[in-house]
Amino acid sequence: MEIANTKWVAATASMWIESFIGASYTFGIYSSLLKSSQSYDQSTLDTVSVYKDIGANAGILSGLFYTAVASGRSGNGRFFSGPWLVIFVGLLQWFVGYGFIWMAASGVVEPPPVAVMCLFMFFAGHCQPFFNTAIVVTAIRNFSDYGGTAVGIMKGYLGLSGAILVQMYHIFCEDDPANYLLLLAVVPSIFILTMMPFVRAYDTVVPGHKKYLNGLSSISLIVVTYLMVVILVENVIGMPRSMKICSFTLLVLLLVSPLLVTVRAHREEKERLLSLDFPVTERSTLLDTPKPNTSNDVDVVMTNDMNVLEAIRTINFWLLFLAMICGMGSGLATINNIRQVGESLRYSTVQLNSLVSLWSIWSFLGRFGAGYISDAYLHSHGWPRPAFITISLVIMALGHIVMASGLLGSLYIGSLLVGLAYGSQWALMPTITSEIFGILHMGTIFYTIGIASPVGSYIFSVKVIGYFYDKVASADHSCYGSHCFRTSFVIMAIMSVLGSLISFVLFLRTKKFYATLVAKRILK
């Protein structure tokens, strides 16, 4: 079918894939099973979880692979090329990683050495860069004038996928973490295998993109609002199994609804092409960045399509990297330990599962909101995107302080603030990368910067949270009370403030550059 070969079908297929690959955000569901079945203490569990984070953010290989097999123009290239091949390599790692973790946690195989578990946890996480590189870079290529909005939608669904998977956990796994691991290994694998051929790049810019991107944004907000209502109902009054099945069926229908936007967008673009009343260009004006400048003006040192080695030699790269250590690192450490924090405050099982689900909601809103709002302020006021990184880190610091207080409801409020900030950074960082360093090697560069997330997660999870928790825990590695994690959250709040200062320096350095980008767009 002709409609299958459009960027709107690619966008819809990408959204669907992203909706099912956020298993790393549901680590809290099976972390207790992993801890008990493998006889881990808290520090060992945090070490294993960090390898998941290392895998999820070590995307240099996925970026290089994308450049090699999928950087050519047009959605109809050779069979053994294109974004789908990058997705397929990720899919193999997904199946092997979660398949082995399920066998170990359910007793199918003997408990493996910690190093072996770390290896397969790495595979389970390392699939994500392949999925995300293929989808995010392709989205920016397809909708380059509104890359922030496109990336916000795609990364938003990744954040939302945790809540979707939790709903599947309640319905199909009957709250059994072992069955959930089996579901992760099988169901998303089949779905991704079906959808990946539709993810293709179409390097054109067509007037009217914004209207239909807004349509996809509206559907996304409806989905997230519906999911939040479902989670609150489950938490406050509970749901019988039949009602859960009905609510999940409605969720599936909402997830299918972007097809309506796809059909309308395709029809309108076809009519415009036939009437020949509008131009079709092959490059975004926002991505046509200035040529290399040999002066010492720090505001205009960015250039077109740097490779990763060239990017690493710039100050802006390291400013963004350090800011992400403070932000993404502390945010990831928070979600990895949120279940243990809840258990220390004696939250019920339903409340703990709700926290994991709500984190996905907040992460989605942060990703979507940051992408959409930063696009709006960039186009209307010329605001550099790094300004929003600074704002997000200030919000994250406030969230850590709230969680450190240990007051009634502090975990809900704190996770809201940290989740919003963490999600926004994952939408802003890739878009900033494409604008400052160019799009050709974007996948490699933004995942090189993304290494900051597992580096920060290791520091905060193992050297801060694990260390201070084990210091006050009893002989059986348990601790109850607000004091268990207070010191850790105060430290992470301080580091978030430091990150906001670093990103503010990046904001000052890129003000003139972003002004040039917006001016070029207006002139064209």
Side-chain angles (χ1 to χ4, degrees):
M1 292 178 63
E2 181 185 1
I3 192 173
N5 297 320
T6 70
K7 62 179 64 181
W8 297 104
V9 170
T12 300
S14 297
M15 290 163 63
W16 288 344
I17 291 174
E18 292 278 18
S19 297
F20 290 93
I21 63 172
S24 60
Y25 300 119
T26 64
F27 179 76
I29 287 178
Y30 59 88
S31 61
S32 294
L33 171 66
L34 207 59
K35 185 177 182 180
S36 60
S37 65
Q38 309 301 306
S39 301
Y40 292 158
D41 60 19
Q42 187 63 36
S43 292
T44 304
L45 180 66
D46 284 334
T47 299
V48 171
S49 73
V50 162
Y51 275 85
K52 163 184 65 67
D53 302 333
I54 292 173
N57 295 280
I60 297 177
L61 288 178
S62 66
L64 293 173
F65 191 57
Y66 186 96
T67 301
V69 304
S71 60
R73 295 188 180 278
S74 176
N76 299 302
R78 300 186 308 274
F79 178 74
F80 287 106
S81 66
W84 76 266
L85 191 57
V86 183
I87 294 174
F88 181 69
V89 173
L91 177 58
L92 294 178
Q93 296 178 77
W94 172 288
F95 182 76
V96 170
Y98 283 109
F100 180 83
I101 295 169
W102 166 72
M103 289 192 292
S106 60
V108 175
V109 297
E110 292 294 320
V114 173
V116 174
M117 181 62 78
C118 288
L119 174 63
F120 283 93
M121 191 64 76
F122 174 85
F123 286 149
H126 196 237
C127 61
Q128 201 169 102
F130 285 82
F131 297 143
N132 283 334
T133 298
I135 288 171
V136 170
V137 179
T138 300
I140 289 183
R141 290 173 64 181
N142 287 343
F143 304 101
S144 51
D145 268 348
Y146 292 94
T149 301
V151 172
I153 292 172
M154 301 305 164
K155 299 294 285 186
Y157 272 91
L158 174 62
L160 197 61
S161 64
I164 295 171
L165 289 171
V166 169
Q167 295 303 308
M168 295 174 66
Y169 166 66
H170 289 317
I171 295 171
F172 302 111
C173 305
E174 298 182 347
D175 295 338
D176 184 343
N179 287 339
Y180 175 66
L181 286 168
L182 178 60
L183 179 144
L184 286 180
V186 176
V187 176
S189 298
I190 296 172
F191 184 78
I192 294 168
L193 190 65
T194 304
M195 290 293 108
M196 66 185 188
F198 298 102
V199 181
R200 303 177 184 180
Y202 304 86
D203 294 280
T204 57
V205 178
V206 181
H209 278 176
K210 183 61 174 173
K211 177 173 68 174
Y212 292 109
L213 282 175
N214 286 343
L216 293 178
S217 299
S218 299
I219 291 173
S220 302
L221 289 174
I222 292 171
V223 171
V224 75
T225 302
Y226 174 74
L227 264 176
M228 185 165 60
V229 171
V230 170
I231 292 168
L232 291 175
V233 170
E234 286 180 342
N235 189 34
V236 176
I237 63 177
M239 277 190 183
R241 181 175 174 78
S242 59
M243 190 173 177
K244 288 180 180 179
I245 293 173
C246 290
S247 67
F248 184 75
T249 302
L250 181 54
L251 174 62
V252 171
L253 293 175
L254 289 174
L255 291 174
V256 171
S257 61
L259 277 177
L260 300 175
V261 176
T262 297
V263 172
R264 292 182 60 185
H266 173 70
R267 184 185 300 134
E268 181 173 315
E269 286 188 5
K270 187 176 180 180
E271 291 173 354
R272 288 184 176 181
L273 279 170
L274 291 174
S275 64
L276 298 177
D277 62 355
F278 74 103
V280 178
T281 59
E282 286 208 350
R283 288 292 289 174
S284 161
T285 53
L286 278 178
L287 292 177
D288 286 338
T289 50
K291 296 297 180 183
N293 189 294
T294 56
S295 73
N296 292 322
D297 189 344
V298 296
D299 290 310
V300 290
V301 294
M302 288 71 73
T303 182
N304 269 344
D305 295 329
M306 292 184 187
N307 62 39
V308 66
L309 295 179
E310 292 169 336
I312 286 174
R313 292 197 292 266
T314 67
I315 295 175
N316 292 328
F317 175 93
W318 290 106
L319 288 173
L320 190 55
F321 185 85
L322 291 173
M324 293 303 94
I325 284 182
C326 299
M328 291 180 176
S330 63
L332 195 54
T334 300
I335 184 56
N336 283 341
N337 290 276
I338 196 167
R339 193 175 189 91
Q340 280 70 39
V341 176
E343 288 175 349
S344 72
L345 297 175
R346 300 187 184 279
Y347 279 41
S348 68
T349 301
V350 173
Q351 289 175 317
L352 293 174
N353 290 336
S354 296
L355 276 171
V356 175
S357 298
L358 287 172
W359 174 277
S360 297
I361 301 295
W362 311 144
S363 180
F364 167 86
L365 291 174
R367 293 166 196 248
F368 169 76
Y372 189 91
I373 294 171
S374 66
D375 258 355
Y377 274 83
L378 175 63
H379 285 266
S380 62
H381 297 88
W383 277 35
R385 289 192 210 272
F388 294 92
I389 293 280
T390 302
I391 294 170
S392 73
L393 283 161
V394 171
I395 293 172
M396 181 169 279
L398 293 174
H400 288 315
I401 290 296
V402 171
M403 296 178 82
S405 70
L407 299 174
L408 182 64
S410 61
L411 194 51
Y412 283 101
I413 298 172
S415 63
L416 162 64
L417 296 174
V418 176
L420 287 171
Y422 176 77
S424 68
Q425 290 157 20
W426 272 115
L428 293 167
M429 187 269 283
T431 315
I432 291 171
T433 300
S434 70
E435 290 165 346
I436 293 179
F437 304 114
I439 198 170
L440 182 60
H441 301 283
M442 173 201 163
T444 308
I445 298 172
F446 101 75
Y447 264 114
T448 303
I449 297 172
I451 293 174
S453 182
V455 168
S457 176
Y458 176 79
I459 295 171
F460 294 121
S461 292
V462 178
K463 300 302 182 182
V464 178
I465 294 177
Y467 173 78
F468 285 104
Y469 180 91
D470 288 338
K471 201 170 182 180
V472 298
S474 59
D476 63 350
H477 306 296
S478 63
C479 177
Y480 296 96
S482 59
H483 67 285
C484 301
F485 293 92
R486 178 178 291 127
T487 303
S488 301
F489 281 119
V490 169
I491 292 173
M492 290 193 291
I494 294 171
M495 294 305 298
S496 296
V497 172
L498 176 62
S500 70
L501 296 176
I502 294 172
S503 64
F504 185 71
V505 174
L506 180 63
F507 160 74
L508 295 177
R509 288 176 57 85
T510 57
K511 282 180 67 177
K512 186 180 294 185
F513 171 72
Y514 275 97
T516 302
L517 285 179
V518 175
K520 282 189 66 178
R521 183 178 186 276
I522 293 173
L523 288 174
K524 289 190 177 184

